Amino acid sequence: MTLAPPVPGPLLPVPAPAAGAGELAPLCAWLAEVFIAPPTAPGIGAYRRGQAAAWLESLAALPDFAPGAAAMRQALAGEGSDEALAARLGTAFNRLFLGFGGRRTVVPCESAWQGNGRLYQAPAAEMQHLLARADLSLGAGCVEPPDHISVELALLSFLLMSGDPGTDAMKERLQGWIPAFCARCLEEDTTGFWGGAARLLAAAVAACPARNEARQDRLTEERKAR
């Protein structure tokens, strides 16, 4: 899933997130990729032995993100092949997010958690407006509604990177439904992979700086650069 302009993907050598907007932006972009589709076999290899492994290790070193990163790393451990684990995670993803789990499905769209719980309601229309306001559009290969968790995270990442004044509103939007979504992920995920990602997501949304904090961070960095 991408927006135009594109945001970082999970296998890019992005810096570890810390207490500033510049570091949280790639974390949100990475989480957008985690929740849009299960990892492929090459992706599993990267998580086990490549750049993505270093990414998870860096997250595990930060107290707020350590529990989620540890859960994901444990889910990726084991002696099975990358292909076998990718197949298992693919099946789990379908059950968890795509409706194969019946009533145990955790719908990854804001509309399912707000209002009457029906999809394609007001949150989807509002997100379409917010994307247009930022002069962004969904990538050609994205078939998800605009209020899908990955779309909202990608937009938040873009707003954080650009210092957009709409960042606070987007953060509040996510805080309105992400806690319930993450709690259900933890309840229903049997692999630990998306349960761990949900822990990271909850921590990331909580750590997003307010507008004034983000502005102060930029001013501090500018002063240091002089």
Side-chain angles (χ1 to χ4, degrees), residues 216-226:
Q216 185 59 47
D217 287 342
R218 291 196 301 275
L219 290 174
T220 300
E221 291 302 318
E222 289 173 0
R223 292 191 186 102
K224 289 180 180 178
R226 290 174 185 171

mmCIF file of all heavy atoms in Angstrom, residues 216-226:
data_model
loop_
_atom_site.group_PDB
_atom_site.id
_atom_site.type_symbol
_atom_site.label_atom_id
_atom_site.label_comp_id
_atom_site.label_asym_id
_atom_site.label_seq_id
_atom_site.Cartn_x
_atom_site.Cartn_y
_atom_site.Cartn_z
ATOM 1 N N GLN A 216 8.811 22.572 18.062
ATOM 2 C CA GLN A 216 9.972 22.826 18.906
ATOM 3 C C GLN A 216 11.122 21.891 18.530
ATOM 4 O O GLN A 216 12.286 22.286 18.541
ATOM 5 C CB GLN A 216 9.603 22.628 20.383
ATOM 6 C CG GLN A 216 10.738 23.006 21.343
ATOM 7 C CD GLN A 216 11.159 24.454 21.192
ATOM 8 O OE1 GLN A 216 10.328 25.357 21.149
ATOM 9 N NE2 GLN A 216 12.460 24.694 21.089
ATOM 10 N N ASP A 217 10.800 20.621 18.204
ATOM 11 C CA ASP A 217 11.833 19.685 17.780
ATOM 12 C C ASP A 217 12.548 20.194 16.535
ATOM 13 O O ASP A 217 13.772 20.124 16.430
ATOM 14 C CB ASP A 217 11.226 18.307 17.475
ATOM 15 C CG ASP A 217 10.827 17.580 18.744
ATOM 16 O OD1 ASP A 217 11.312 17.969 19.820
ATOM 17 O OD2 ASP A 217 10.031 16.632 18.643
ATOM 18 N N ARG A 218 11.778 20.719 15.566
ATOM 19 C CA ARG A 218 12.380 21.219 14.334
ATOM 20 C C ARG A 218 13.255 22.438 14.607
ATOM 21 O O ARG A 218 14.346 22.576 14.051
ATOM 22 C CB ARG A 218 11.287 21.562 13.308
ATOM 23 C CG ARG A 218 10.560 20.345 12.769
ATOM 24 C CD ARG A 218 9.800 20.711 11.508
ATOM 25 N NE ARG A 218 8.825 21.759 11.746
ATOM 26 C CZ ARG A 218 7.592 21.553 12.201
ATOM 27 N NH1 ARG A 218 7.197 20.326 12.495
ATOM 28 N NH2 ARG A 218 6.744 22.556 12.362
ATOM 29 N N LEU A 219 12.779 23.334 15.479
ATOM 30 C CA LEU A 219 13.566 24.520 15.806
ATOM 31 C C LEU A 219 14.873 24.143 16.501
ATOM 32 O O LEU A 219 15.928 24.723 16.236
ATOM 33 C CB LEU A 219 12.742 25.452 16.703
ATOM 34 C CG LEU A 219 11.547 26.153 16.033
ATOM 35 C CD1 LEU A 219 10.746 26.923 17.071
ATOM 36 C CD2 LEU A 219 12.021 27.090 14.917
ATOM 37 N N THR A 220 14.796 23.154 17.384
ATOM 38 C CA THR A 220 15.998 22.706 18.077
ATOM 39 C C THR A 220 17.010 22.141 17.099
ATOM 40 O O THR A 220 18.210 22.430 17.184
ATOM 41 C CB THR A 220 15.646 21.645 19.138
ATOM 42 O OG1 THR A 220 14.737 22.211 20.083
ATOM 43 C CG2 THR A 220 16.892 21.148 19.851
ATOM 44 N N GLU A 221 16.527 21.322 16.163
ATOM 45 C CA GLU A 221 17.438 20.753 15.170
ATOM 46 C C GLU A 221 18.030 21.819 14.275
ATOM 47 O O GLU A 221 19.211 21.741 13.896
ATOM 48 C CB GLU A 221 16.681 19.705 14.332
ATOM 49 C CG GLU A 221 16.304 18.450 15.101
ATOM 50 C CD GLU A 221 17.516 17.745 15.686
ATOM 51 O OE1 GLU A 221 18.541 17.651 14.978
ATOM 52 O OE2 GLU A 221 17.458 17.306 16.830
ATOM 53 N N GLU A 222 17.228 22.826 13.931
ATOM 54 C CA GLU A 222 17.743 23.908 13.084
ATOM 55 C C GLU A 222 18.838 24.681 13.812
ATOM 56 O O GLU A 222 19.846 25.066 13.212
ATOM 57 C CB GLU A 222 16.600 24.847 12.687
ATOM 58 C CG GLU A 222 15.628 24.206 11.696
ATOM 59 C CD GLU A 222 14.412 25.097 11.458
ATOM 60 O OE1 GLU A 222 14.345 26.193 12.075
ATOM 61 O OE2 GLU A 222 13.532 24.686 10.681
ATOM 62 N N ARG A 223 18.646 24.914 15.117
ATOM 63 C CA ARG A 223 19.663 25.636 15.889
ATOM 64 C C ARG A 223 20.965 24.823 15.963
ATOM 65 O O ARG A 223 22.053 25.374 15.880
ATOM 66 C CB ARG A 223 19.128 25.926 17.302
ATOM 67 C CG ARG A 223 17.970 26.924 17.343
ATOM 68 C CD ARG A 223 17.681 27.364 18.753
ATOM 69 N NE ARG A 223 16.501 28.185 18.827
ATOM 70 C CZ ARG A 223 15.308 27.750 19.239
ATOM 71 N NH1 ARG A 223 15.162 26.482 19.598
ATOM 72 N NH2 ARG A 223 14.263 28.549 19.267
ATOM 73 N N LYS A 224 20.824 23.517 16.130
ATOM 74 C CA LYS A 224 22.017 22.675 16.206
ATOM 75 C C LYS A 224 22.785 22.682 14.900
ATOM 76 O O LYS A 224 24.011 22.568 14.880
ATOM 77 C CB LYS A 224 21.612 21.227 16.534
ATOM 78 C CG LYS A 224 21.125 21.031 17.962
ATOM 79 C CD LYS A 224 20.755 19.574 18.194
ATOM 80 C CE LYS A 224 20.259 19.353 19.623
ATOM 81 N NZ LYS A 224 19.858 17.926 19.826
ATOM 82 N N ALA A 225 22.066 22.820 13.787
ATOM 83 C CA ALA A 225 22.697 22.772 12.466
ATOM 84 C C ALA A 225 23.432 24.080 12.127
ATOM 85 O O ALA A 225 24.220 24.108 11.194
ATOM 86 C CB ALA A 225 21.653 22.464 11.401
ATOM 87 N N ARG A 226 23.150 25.138 12.855
ATOM 88 C CA ARG A 226 23.774 26.441 12.541
ATOM 89 C C ARG A 226 25.237 26.468 12.983
ATOM 90 O O ARG A 226 25.621 25.848 13.927
ATOM 91 C CB ARG A 226 23.006 27.571 13.232
ATOM 92 C CG ARG A 226 21.617 27.785 12.615
ATOM 93 C CD ARG A 226 20.834 28.809 13.435
ATOM 94 N NE ARG A 226 19.482 28.937 12.928
ATOM 95 C CZ ARG A 226 18.524 29.626 13.543
ATOM 96 N NH1 ARG A 226 18.781 30.232 14.707
ATOM 97 N NH2 ARG A 226 17.320 29.726 13.035
#
